[in-house]
Amino acid sequence: MYIVITVLIIVIAILGYGCFNLLKQVEKLELGVMTIADEYQIIFDDIREKVLQTEIRLKEIDIKGSFEADDEVGFVFKEIISLHSELNQTVQSYYDGGN
C-alpha cells in the first residue's frame, strides 16, 4: 500500500513540475506576441504620422495653386494628390475601425 502511495506522489510531483514549466513557456510566448504587436503598432503609428506630414507638405508646396494650373505638371500633381488621398484613407480606415 505504501509503495502505491509513494509512486502516486512521485507521479503527481513530476506532472506538477511539468505543468509549471509549460505554464512558464506559454507566458513567455504570450509576452513575445504582445511585444511584436506593440512593435507593429509603433511602426504603423510612424507611417500614419508621415502620411499626415506629407499632406501638410503637399499643401505648402502648392500654396499658390501654380502646380495645379499647369497642364502637364498639374496632371502629375493631381495624380500624386490622388494617390496620397487613397493612402490617407487606408491608414485612417485602420484607425477608425482597428482601434
Side-chain angles (χ1 to χ4, degrees):
M1 183 72 161
Y2 292 112
I3 296 174
V4 173
I5 293 175
T6 305
V7 170
L8 286 176
I9 290 174
I10 291 172
V11 168
I12 290 172
I14 291 171
L15 290 175
Y17 180 75
C19 287
F20 179 74
N21 282 335
L22 288 174
L23 179 64
K24 284 181 11 183
Q25 289 177 2
V26 167
E27 288 174 350
K28 284 181 185 178
L29 287 174
E30 286 177 350
L31 181 62
V33 168
M34 295 283 285
T35 303
I36 291 170
D38 292 341
E39 288 177 18
Y40 281 126
Q41 185 65 41
I42 290 169
I43 291 169
F44 200 81
D45 288 343
D46 189 40
I47 291 171
R48 179 178 184 229
E49 183 63 31
K50 288 181 182 180
V51 167
L52 295 174
Q53 292 300 321
T54 304
E55 183 176 7
I56 293 169
R57 186 74 176 126
L58 282 171
K59 288 179 182 178
E60 287 174 359
I61 289 172
D62 195 34
I63 198 160
K64 294 181 182 178
S66 57
F67 286 119
E68 286 190 62
D70 189 8
D71 288 339
E72 291 179 25
V73 176
F75 174 75
V76 174
F77 190 75
K78 286 178 185 176
E79 286 298 313
I80 291 171
I81 295 289
S82 172
L83 290 171
H84 180 270
S85 237
E86 289 177 25
L87 179 61
N88 192 21
Q89 287 175 357
T90 303
V91 170
Q92 196 60 40
S93 69
Y94 169 79
Y95 274 91
D96 290 343
N99 285 338

